[in-house]
Amino acid sequence: MSENESLLFWWPVDDGYTTVSDDKERVGQQAQPVPPQEPVTFLDIEIAQPRVEQIQEILRAVEGVERINFWLEGAQKSGIFSALKACSSLKELGVYDDDDGLMVEHFEEISEISSLRKVHVGYANLSKEKFAPLAEMKHLEAFFLEESDGVDADIVRLLPRMQGLRELFLEINDWMVEEVVLSIESLSQLQSLSFDYSGEAHDLSFEGGLSFLRKMRGLQTLSLRSYLLDAAQMADIARCESIEHLTLDSCDWKKGTLEGCATMPNLRRLQVVFFDPEQPVDWLFLEPMQALTEFSFEGTEISKTLSRVLPQLRGLQRLELTGAMDEKDKEKLLAALPSTVTTVLEITKKGTAVWIKGLVQWGTSFAVGVGGGTLLYRFGMLTEGWMFGLFLVAVVAGAVAEAYFTE
Protein backbone atom coordinates (compact mmCIF):
# COMPACT_ATOMS: atom_id res chain seq x y z
CA MET A 1 0.00 0.00 0.00
CA SER A 2 1.45 3.36 -1.03
CA GLU A 3 1.79 6.34 1.31
CA ASN A 4 -1.11 8.13 -0.36
CA GLU A 5 -3.42 5.16 0.09
CA SER A 6 -5.06 4.45 3.40
CA LEU A 7 -7.16 1.78 5.04
CA LEU A 8 -9.62 3.20 7.54
CA PHE A 9 -11.57 1.17 10.08
CA TRP A 10 -15.04 2.37 11.09
CA TRP A 11 -16.94 1.51 14.26
CA PRO A 12 -20.66 0.79 13.71
CA VAL A 13 -22.73 3.98 13.90
CA ASP A 14 -24.70 4.34 17.15
CA ASP A 15 -27.25 7.16 17.27
CA GLY A 16 -25.23 9.29 14.87
CA TYR A 17 -21.88 8.62 16.59
CA THR A 18 -18.93 6.63 15.27
CA THR A 19 -15.14 6.32 15.46
CA VAL A 20 -12.61 5.95 12.65
CA SER A 21 -8.93 5.00 12.79
CA ASP A 22 -6.15 3.53 10.69
CA ASP A 23 -5.47 1.10 13.56
CA LYS A 24 -8.19 -1.53 14.05
CA GLU A 25 -7.01 -2.39 17.55
CA ARG A 26 -7.43 1.23 18.58
CA VAL A 27 -11.05 1.28 17.43
CA GLY A 28 -12.14 -2.24 18.34
CA GLN A 29 -12.68 -5.64 16.76
CA GLN A 30 -16.15 -4.72 15.51
CA ALA A 31 -14.67 -2.04 13.28
CA GLN A 32 -14.78 -2.68 9.53
CA PRO A 33 -13.04 -1.06 6.51
CA VAL A 34 -16.40 0.02 5.15
CA PRO A 35 -17.59 3.66 5.31
CA PRO A 36 -20.85 4.11 7.27
CA GLN A 37 -24.13 4.11 5.39
CA GLU A 38 -26.05 5.79 8.22
CA PRO A 39 -25.87 9.56 8.85
CA VAL A 40 -23.01 10.60 11.15
CA THR A 41 -23.26 13.75 13.24
CA PHE A 42 -20.54 13.06 15.85
CA LEU A 43 -17.16 11.60 14.84
CA ASP A 44 -14.03 10.63 16.78
CA ILE A 45 -10.87 10.49 14.63
CA GLU A 46 -8.39 8.28 16.46
CA ILE A 47 -5.42 8.51 14.10
CA ALA A 48 -2.17 9.29 15.87
CA GLN A 49 -0.71 11.34 13.02
CA PRO A 50 -3.33 11.83 10.33
CA ARG A 51 -2.52 12.92 6.80
CA VAL A 52 -4.49 15.48 4.83
CA GLU A 53 -5.53 12.76 2.36
CA GLN A 54 -7.02 10.72 5.20
CA ILE A 55 -9.01 13.68 6.51
CA GLN A 56 -10.38 14.37 3.05
CA GLU A 57 -11.37 10.71 2.63
CA ILE A 58 -13.13 10.73 6.01
CA LEU A 59 -15.07 13.91 5.23
CA ARG A 60 -16.35 12.40 1.99
CA ALA A 61 -17.76 9.48 3.99
CA VAL A 62 -19.50 11.55 6.70
CA GLU A 63 -21.16 14.35 4.80
CA GLY A 64 -23.17 16.48 7.22
CA VAL A 65 -21.07 15.77 10.34
CA GLU A 66 -21.50 18.45 13.02
CA ARG A 67 -18.84 17.53 15.58
CA ILE A 68 -15.37 16.02 15.19
CA ASN A 69 -12.90 15.08 17.92
CA PHE A 70 -9.23 14.51 17.08
CA TRP A 71 -7.20 12.18 19.34
CA LEU A 72 -3.59 12.84 18.34
CA GLU A 73 -0.14 11.60 19.35
CA GLY A 74 3.21 13.14 18.53
CA ALA A 75 4.24 15.73 15.94
CA GLN A 76 1.56 16.67 13.43
CA LYS A 77 1.84 17.76 9.82
CA SER A 78 0.31 21.06 8.81
CA GLY A 79 -2.87 21.17 6.76
CA ILE A 80 -4.92 18.58 8.65
CA PHE A 81 -7.23 21.25 10.12
CA SER A 82 -7.28 23.36 6.96
CA ALA A 83 -8.93 20.37 5.29
CA LEU A 84 -11.92 20.87 7.59
CA LYS A 85 -12.79 24.19 5.93
CA ALA A 86 -14.52 22.21 3.20
CA CYS A 87 -16.95 20.77 5.77
CA SER A 88 -19.58 23.51 6.01
CA SER A 89 -21.71 21.48 8.44
CA LEU A 90 -18.96 21.33 11.09
CA LYS A 91 -19.99 23.34 14.18
CA GLU A 92 -17.93 21.76 16.97
CA LEU A 93 -14.29 20.65 17.11
CA GLY A 94 -12.32 18.87 19.84
CA VAL A 95 -8.52 18.62 19.78
CA TYR A 96 -6.75 16.37 22.30
CA ASP A 97 -2.97 15.85 22.27
CA ASP A 98 -0.73 15.41 25.32
CA ASP A 99 2.49 15.01 23.34
CA ASP A 100 3.09 18.66 22.42
CA GLY A 101 2.68 17.75 18.77
CA LEU A 102 0.71 20.84 17.73
CA MET A 103 2.28 24.11 16.66
CA VAL A 104 0.95 27.66 16.45
CA GLU A 105 0.24 27.02 12.77
CA HIS A 106 -2.25 24.30 13.66
CA PHE A 107 -4.27 26.64 15.86
CA GLU A 108 -4.19 29.26 13.11
CA GLU A 109 -5.73 26.65 10.80
CA ILE A 110 -8.49 26.00 13.34
CA SER A 111 -9.23 29.71 13.69
CA GLU A 112 -9.88 29.93 9.93
CA ILE A 113 -12.74 27.40 9.98
CA SER A 114 -15.62 29.85 9.67
CA SER A 115 -18.36 27.29 10.39
CA LEU A 116 -17.04 26.53 13.91
CA ARG A 117 -19.05 27.67 16.90
CA LYS A 118 -17.58 25.47 19.65
CA VAL A 119 -13.97 24.43 20.33
CA HIS A 120 -12.68 21.93 22.92
CA VAL A 121 -8.97 21.84 23.73
CA GLY A 122 -7.49 19.11 25.91
CA TYR A 123 -3.82 19.86 25.86
CA ALA A 124 -1.03 19.64 28.46
CA ASN A 125 1.20 22.38 27.00
CA LEU A 126 -1.13 25.03 25.61
CA SER A 127 0.81 28.30 25.50
CA LYS A 128 -0.32 31.89 25.07
CA GLU A 129 1.04 31.88 21.51
CA LYS A 130 -0.97 28.79 20.57
CA PHE A 131 -4.15 30.04 22.20
CA ALA A 132 -3.97 33.54 20.66
CA PRO A 133 -5.48 32.53 17.26
CA LEU A 134 -8.47 30.97 19.03
CA ALA A 135 -9.02 34.12 21.09
CA GLU A 136 -9.40 36.06 17.84
CA MET A 137 -12.25 33.86 16.55
CA LYS A 138 -15.12 36.37 16.49
CA HIS A 139 -17.62 33.69 15.47
CA LEU A 140 -16.75 31.38 18.38
CA GLU A 141 -19.64 30.94 20.84
CA ALA A 142 -18.27 28.26 23.20
CA PHE A 143 -14.80 27.34 24.42
CA PHE A 144 -13.85 24.38 26.62
CA LEU A 145 -10.38 24.15 28.16
CA GLU A 146 -10.01 20.59 29.47
CA GLU A 147 -7.16 18.54 30.97
CA SER A 148 -5.18 21.72 31.53
CA ASP A 149 -2.58 20.69 34.13
CA GLY A 150 0.26 22.16 32.10
CA VAL A 151 -1.50 25.21 30.72
CA ASP A 152 0.25 28.56 30.78
CA ALA A 153 -1.71 30.97 33.00
CA ASP A 154 -1.09 33.78 30.52
CA ILE A 155 -3.69 32.34 28.17
CA VAL A 156 -6.42 33.37 30.62
CA ARG A 157 -5.47 37.00 30.06
CA LEU A 158 -6.62 36.61 26.46
CA LEU A 159 -10.17 35.65 27.44
CA PRO A 160 -11.45 39.27 27.39
CA ARG A 161 -10.88 39.29 23.63
CA MET A 162 -13.52 36.59 23.21
CA GLN A 163 -16.54 38.87 23.40
CA GLY A 164 -18.58 36.53 21.22
CA LEU A 165 -18.45 33.72 23.81
CA ARG A 166 -21.69 32.56 25.34
CA GLU A 167 -20.38 29.36 26.99
CA LEU A 168 -17.06 28.89 28.82
CA PHE A 169 -15.64 25.80 30.54
CA LEU A 170 -12.29 26.08 32.34
CA GLU A 171 -10.42 23.29 34.06
CA ILE A 172 -8.30 25.36 36.42
CA ASN A 173 -4.99 24.58 38.05
CA ASP A 174 -3.28 26.31 40.98
CA TRP A 175 -1.44 28.93 38.97
CA MET A 176 -4.46 29.98 36.92
CA VAL A 177 -6.83 30.96 39.75
CA GLU A 178 -5.74 34.57 40.24
CA GLU A 179 -5.72 35.28 36.50
CA VAL A 180 -9.20 33.82 36.07
CA VAL A 181 -10.77 36.29 38.50
CA LEU A 182 -9.14 39.24 36.76
CA SER A 183 -10.20 38.10 33.30
CA ILE A 184 -13.70 36.67 33.79
CA GLU A 185 -15.21 39.98 34.91
CA SER A 186 -15.07 41.36 31.38
CA LEU A 187 -17.07 38.44 29.95
CA SER A 188 -20.39 39.80 31.11
CA GLN A 189 -22.10 38.36 28.00
CA LEU A 190 -21.65 34.72 29.14
CA GLN A 191 -24.74 32.55 29.40
CA SER A 192 -23.00 29.41 30.72
CA LEU A 193 -19.93 29.23 32.98
CA SER A 194 -18.20 26.14 34.39
CA PHE A 195 -15.17 25.87 36.67
CA ASP A 196 -13.46 22.54 37.31
CA TYR A 197 -10.46 22.48 39.64
CA SER A 198 -7.77 19.93 38.72
CA GLY A 199 -5.40 20.43 41.64
CA GLU A 200 -4.40 17.63 43.97
CA ALA A 201 -3.82 19.28 47.35
CA HIS A 202 -6.98 21.27 47.93
CA ASP A 203 -10.23 22.35 46.34
CA LEU A 204 -10.82 25.48 44.30
CA SER A 205 -11.74 28.76 46.00
CA PHE A 206 -11.36 32.16 44.37
CA GLU A 207 -9.89 34.95 46.42
CA GLY A 208 -12.66 37.48 46.82
CA GLY A 209 -15.33 34.87 46.28
CA LEU A 210 -17.71 34.93 43.35
CA SER A 211 -18.55 38.61 43.42
CA PHE A 212 -17.76 38.90 39.70
CA LEU A 213 -20.98 37.00 38.97
CA ARG A 214 -22.99 40.12 39.80
CA LYS A 215 -21.85 41.66 36.51
CA MET A 216 -23.11 38.71 34.45
CA ARG A 217 -26.71 39.74 33.99
CA GLY A 218 -27.37 37.12 31.34
CA LEU A 219 -25.74 34.09 33.00
CA GLN A 220 -28.20 31.19 32.96
CA THR A 221 -26.02 28.17 33.83
CA LEU A 222 -23.34 27.93 36.52
CA SER A 223 -21.37 24.75 37.29
CA LEU A 224 -18.76 24.39 40.04
CA ARG A 225 -16.66 21.30 40.59
CA SER A 226 -14.29 20.74 43.53
CA TYR A 227 -15.13 24.18 44.90
CA LEU A 228 -15.04 25.45 48.50
CA LEU A 229 -18.37 27.20 48.93
CA ASP A 230 -19.43 29.32 51.91
CA ALA A 231 -22.55 31.36 52.69
CA ALA A 232 -21.05 34.61 51.33
CA GLN A 233 -20.24 33.00 47.99
CA MET A 234 -23.68 31.42 47.86
CA ALA A 235 -25.06 34.92 48.31
CA ASP A 236 -22.95 36.07 45.35
CA ILE A 237 -24.52 33.32 43.26
CA ALA A 238 -28.02 34.28 44.39
CA ARG A 239 -27.43 37.92 43.43
CA CYS A 240 -26.95 36.79 39.84
CA GLU A 241 -30.70 36.56 39.43
CA SER A 242 -30.57 35.28 35.86
CA ILE A 243 -29.19 31.84 36.89
CA GLU A 244 -31.65 29.09 36.06
CA HIS A 245 -29.39 26.02 36.26
CA LEU A 246 -26.91 25.37 39.10
CA THR A 247 -24.61 22.32 39.35
CA LEU A 248 -22.46 21.61 42.41
CA ASP A 249 -20.17 18.65 41.74
CA SER A 250 -17.87 17.28 44.46
CA CYS A 251 -18.01 20.59 46.30
CA ASP A 252 -17.53 21.31 49.99
CA TRP A 253 -19.60 23.80 51.96
CA LYS A 254 -20.25 24.95 55.48
CA LYS A 255 -23.50 24.46 57.38
CA GLY A 256 -26.32 26.51 55.95
CA THR A 257 -24.59 27.19 52.63
CA LEU A 258 -26.58 24.97 50.27
CA GLU A 259 -29.80 26.25 51.77
CA GLY A 260 -29.01 29.57 50.09
CA CYS A 261 -30.32 28.08 46.84
CA ALA A 262 -33.80 28.92 48.10
CA THR A 263 -33.02 32.63 47.62
CA MET A 264 -32.35 32.22 43.89
CA PRO A 265 -35.51 33.64 42.29
CA ASN A 266 -35.22 32.04 38.84
CA LEU A 267 -33.58 28.70 39.65
CA ARG A 268 -35.24 25.93 37.65
CA ARG A 269 -32.65 23.12 37.65
CA LEU A 270 -30.52 22.07 40.63
CA GLN A 271 -27.90 19.29 40.46
CA VAL A 272 -25.91 18.08 43.47
CA VAL A 273 -23.33 15.47 42.46
CA PHE A 274 -21.07 13.28 44.61
CA PHE A 275 -22.64 14.59 47.78
CA ASP A 276 -20.86 13.85 51.06
CA PRO A 277 -23.49 12.80 53.66
CA GLU A 278 -21.31 14.22 56.45
CA GLN A 279 -21.87 17.74 55.08
CA PRO A 280 -24.88 19.17 56.96
CA VAL A 281 -27.88 20.07 54.80
CA ASP A 282 -31.46 20.70 55.86
CA TRP A 283 -33.33 19.64 52.73
CA LEU A 284 -36.43 21.46 53.95
CA PHE A 285 -35.07 24.48 52.09
CA LEU A 286 -36.48 22.89 48.92
CA GLU A 287 -40.09 23.29 50.10
CA PRO A 288 -40.61 26.92 48.98
CA MET A 289 -38.84 26.29 45.64
CA GLN A 290 -42.03 25.52 43.74
CA ALA A 291 -40.57 26.85 40.48
CA LEU A 292 -37.97 24.06 40.41
CA THR A 293 -38.60 21.86 37.37
CA GLU A 294 -35.56 19.54 37.56
CA PHE A 295 -33.69 18.15 40.55
CA SER A 296 -30.73 15.80 40.38
CA PHE A 297 -28.96 14.26 43.37
CA GLU A 298 -26.07 11.81 43.39
CA GLY A 299 -24.67 10.68 46.72
CA THR A 300 -24.05 7.73 48.98
CA GLU A 301 -27.32 8.02 50.85
CA ILE A 302 -30.71 9.65 50.23
CA SER A 303 -32.08 10.99 53.50
CA LYS A 304 -35.66 10.56 54.69
CA THR A 305 -36.08 14.33 54.76
CA LEU A 306 -35.12 14.67 51.11
CA SER A 307 -37.44 11.86 49.99
CA ARG A 308 -40.27 13.44 52.00
CA VAL A 309 -39.79 16.95 50.58
CA LEU A 310 -39.46 16.10 46.88
CA PRO A 311 -43.16 15.23 46.28
CA GLN A 312 -44.06 18.69 47.57
CA LEU A 313 -42.36 20.36 44.59
CA ARG A 314 -45.44 20.72 42.41
CA GLY A 315 -43.52 22.24 39.52
CA LEU A 316 -41.12 19.29 39.30
CA GLN A 317 -40.93 17.67 35.87
CA ARG A 318 -37.78 15.55 36.10
CA LEU A 319 -36.15 13.82 39.09
CA GLU A 320 -32.81 12.00 39.08
CA LEU A 321 -31.65 10.20 42.24
CA THR A 322 -28.58 8.04 42.83
CA GLY A 323 -27.76 6.58 46.23
CA ALA A 324 -28.83 4.27 49.03
CA MET A 325 -32.41 4.37 50.25
CA ASP A 326 -34.82 2.22 52.25
CA GLU A 327 -37.15 0.23 50.00
CA LYS A 328 -40.24 1.50 51.83
CA ASP A 329 -39.12 5.11 51.49
CA LYS A 330 -38.56 4.55 47.78
CA GLU A 331 -42.07 3.17 47.35
CA LYS A 332 -43.56 6.08 49.29
CA LEU A 333 -41.63 8.57 47.18
CA LEU A 334 -42.77 7.07 43.88
CA ALA A 335 -46.36 6.89 45.08
CA ALA A 336 -46.33 10.52 46.22
CA LEU A 337 -44.79 11.98 43.07
CA PRO A 338 -47.18 13.37 40.45
CA SER A 339 -47.57 11.12 37.42
CA THR A 340 -46.17 13.90 35.21
CA VAL A 341 -42.69 13.65 36.79
CA THR A 342 -40.05 11.76 34.79
CA THR A 343 -37.90 9.74 37.20
CA VAL A 344 -34.40 8.35 36.69
CA LEU A 345 -33.53 6.32 39.78
CA GLU A 346 -30.40 4.33 40.62
CA ILE A 347 -31.32 3.30 44.13
CA THR A 348 -29.44 0.78 46.25
CA LYS A 349 -30.38 -0.50 49.67
CA LYS A 350 -28.75 1.22 52.58
CA GLY A 351 -25.57 -0.25 54.04
CA THR A 352 -27.36 -1.05 57.29
CA ALA A 353 -29.61 -3.44 55.40
CA VAL A 354 -26.55 -5.36 54.26
CA TRP A 355 -25.42 -5.77 57.84
CA ILE A 356 -28.92 -6.85 58.90
CA LYS A 357 -29.06 -9.42 56.12
CA GLY A 358 -25.68 -10.76 57.05
CA LEU A 359 -26.61 -10.95 60.70
CA VAL A 360 -29.87 -12.78 59.98
CA GLN A 361 -28.23 -15.24 57.63
CA TRP A 362 -25.30 -15.90 59.96
CA GLY A 363 -27.59 -16.24 62.98
CA THR A 364 -29.93 -18.69 61.25
CA SER A 365 -27.07 -20.72 59.86
CA PHE A 366 -25.43 -20.84 63.26
CA ALA A 367 -28.67 -21.90 64.96
CA VAL A 368 -29.35 -24.66 62.44
CA GLY A 369 -25.76 -25.82 62.46
CA VAL A 370 -25.30 -25.88 66.23
CA GLY A 371 -28.82 -27.21 66.90
CA GLY A 372 -28.52 -29.97 64.29
CA GLY A 373 -24.99 -30.82 65.39
CA THR A 374 -26.09 -31.19 68.99
CA LEU A 375 -29.04 -33.38 67.99
CA LEU A 376 -26.90 -35.64 65.81
CA TYR A 377 -24.24 -35.90 68.49
CA ARG A 378 -26.79 -37.17 71.00
CA PHE A 379 -27.88 -39.91 68.63
CA GLY A 380 -24.30 -40.81 67.69
CA MET A 381 -24.82 -39.97 64.04
CA LEU A 382 -22.27 -37.12 63.58
CA THR A 383 -20.25 -38.58 60.72
CA GLU A 384 -18.38 -36.61 58.02
CA GLY A 385 -21.22 -37.12 55.55
CA TRP A 386 -23.77 -35.82 57.99
CA MET A 387 -21.57 -32.83 58.75
CA PHE A 388 -21.43 -31.83 55.05
CA GLY A 389 -25.18 -32.23 54.65
CA LEU A 390 -25.81 -30.24 57.77
CA PHE A 391 -23.61 -27.44 56.45
CA LEU A 392 -25.67 -27.19 53.25
CA VAL A 393 -28.92 -27.14 55.22
CA ALA A 394 -27.61 -24.34 57.41
CA VAL A 395 -26.58 -22.21 54.41
CA VAL A 396 -29.96 -22.66 52.71
CA ALA A 397 -31.81 -21.87 55.91
CA GLY A 398 -29.80 -18.70 56.35
CA ALA A 399 -30.52 -17.54 52.80
CA VAL A 400 -34.26 -18.19 53.23
CA ALA A 401 -34.31 -16.28 56.49
CA GLU A 402 -32.44 -13.39 54.90
CA ALA A 403 -34.94 -13.11 52.07
CA TYR A 404 -37.96 -13.43 54.37
CA PHE A 405 -36.97 -11.02 57.12
CA THR A 406 -35.16 -8.29 55.20
CA GLU A 407 -37.22 -7.74 52.06
Side-chain angles (χ1 to χ4, degrees):
M1 182 177 294
S2 66
E3 183 179 353
N4 292 329
E5 294 178 337
S6 63
L7 181 60
L8 299 174
F9 296 93
W10 297 84
W11 183 261
V13 178
D14 182 11
D15 195 21
Y17 168 80
T18 189
T19 303
V20 62
S21 178
D22 57 353
D23 182 352
K24 186 173 183 179
E25 292 185 359
R26 188 168 180 175
V27 183
Q29 292 302 314
Q30 293 187 37
Q32 299 295 328
V34 180
Q37 301 301 313
E38 304 92 332
V40 175
T41 56
F42 186 174
L43 173 66
D44 273 338
I45 298 179
E46 297 195 4
I47 303 177
Q49 295 175 315
R51 302 190 307 273
V52 174
E53 295 81 6
Q54 289 176 313
I55 302 302
Q56 293 172 338
E57 180 182 350
I58 291 171
L59 293 180
R60 287 194 294 269
V62 292
E63 183 178 353
V65 65
E66 298 177 1
R67 175 173 177 175
I68 296 178
N69 283 344
F70 280 84
W71 301 88
L72 308 169
E73 294 178 6
Q76 303 298 321
K77 296 181 180 180
S78 61
I80 57 175
F81 297 115
S82 292
L84 299 178
K85 289 192 289 185
C87 184
S88 59
S89 61
L90 186 62
K91 306 298 182 185
E92 193 167 354
L93 176 66
V95 181
Y96 303 91
D97 184 3
D98 291 335
D99 292 334
D100 199 16
L102 296 176
M103 301 176 293
V104 173
E105 290 76 11
H106 292 107
F107 291 95
E108 291 176 345
E109 293 175 5
I110 294 173
S111 68
E112 295 172 355
I113 306 175
S114 60
S115 63
L116 281 184
R117 296 296 178 266
K118 298 183 179 181
V119 172
H120 304 249
V121 176
Y123 192 70
N125 296 292
L126 183 63
S127 65
K128 177 181 178 180
E129 291 74 22
K130 294 176 181 178
F131 178 68
L134 304 182
E136 300 299 333
M137 296 176 66
K138 304 303 181 184
H139 52 283
L140 198 63
E141 298 176 358
F143 178 69
F144 304 81
L145 180 59
E146 307 164 10
E147 303 177 13
S148 53
D149 289 349
V151 168
D152 187 344
D154 288 340
I155 69 170
V156 183
R157 298 174 185 171
L158 299 178
L159 289 176
R161 300 185 186 181
M162 309 176 77
Q163 291 298 314
L165 279 188
R166 296 296 179 266
E167 183 177 0
L168 177 62
F169 175 96
L170 292 178
E171 184 172 318
I172 303 171
N173 52 46
D174 293 326
W175 49 90
M176 292 171 61
V177 173
E178 182 178 354
E179 299 296 338
V180 167
V181 176
L182 297 175
S183 302
I184 287 294
E185 291 182 334
S186 63
L187 297 178
S188 58
Q189 80 282 359
L190 286 179
Q191 297 176 358
S192 177
L193 177 61
S194 300
F195 290 127
D196 185 347
Y197 179 66
S198 61
E200 298 180 357
H202 59 286
D203 293 339
L204 171 64
S205 182
F206 292 116
E207 184 177 354
L210 298 169
S211 58
F212 58 84
L213 292 176
R214 304 176 190 179
K215 299 181 179 180
M216 297 183 178
R217 299 301 181 185
L219 191 66
Q220 298 175 0
T221 300
L222 176 64
S223 177
L224 301 174
R225 187 177 186 277
S226 299
Y227 193 89
L228 292 172
L229 196 63
D230 58 28
Q233 296 175 52
M234 191 68 236
D236 288 334
I237 295 175
R239 289 190 185 97
C240 187
E241 297 183 355
S242 58
I243 294 179
E244 299 179 0
H245 180 193
L246 176 63
T247 297
L248 301 176
D249 185 348
S250 306
C251 292
D252 290 328
W253 53 75
K254 298 180 181 179
K255 184 178 181 180
T257 298
L258 192 60
E259 288 83 333
C261 292
T263 64
M264 301 178 66
N266 294 303
L267 189 63
R268 299 293 182 268
R269 300 169 61 191
L270 176 60
Q271 293 178 285
V272 182
V273 186
F274 292 116
F275 173 77
D276 184 354
E278 295 184 1
Q279 296 189 99
V281 173
D282 184 359
W283 291 106
L284 293 176
F285 80 86
L286 291 173
E287 284 184 330
M289 300 178 65
Q290 295 301 313
L292 205 64
T293 59
E294 295 186 31
F295 179 76
S296 177
F297 174 87
E298 182 174 339
T300 57
E301 183 174 328
I302 301 170
S303 69
K304 292 181 179 293
T305 302
L306 178 59
S307 62
R308 187 170 62 250
V309 170
L310 290 174
Q312 300 178 30
L313 304 179
R314 294 305 172 187
L316 199 64
Q317 299 175 8
R318 182 178 179 85
L319 174 63
E320 298 182 7
L321 293 178
T322 301
M325 187 179 188
D326 286 337
E327 189 68 24
K328 291 183 178 180
D329 290 337
K330 175 185 174 182
E331 294 175 358
K332 289 181 180 179
L333 172 61
L334 292 176
L337 287 172
S339 58
T340 55
V341 177
T342 300
T343 58
V344 180
L345 307 180
E346 296 183 15
I347 305 299
T348 58
K349 295 185 178 181
K350 288 187 176 181
T352 52
V354 176
W355 287 102
I356 292 173
K357 284 187 174 184
L359 182 62
V360 171
Q361 185 175 25
W362 177 85
T364 306
S365 300
F366 179 80
V368 172
V370 172
T374 302
L375 182 64
L376 291 174
Y377 175 78
R378 288 184 177 181
F379 286 90
M381 299 174 60
L382 195 59
T383 65
E384 291 184 359
W386 277 102
M387 284 291 292
F388 179 74
L390 182 61
F391 170 77
L392 293 179
V393 171
V395 170
V396 172
V400 171
E402 171 194 336
Y404 180 80
F405 287 107
T406 62
E407 289 297 327

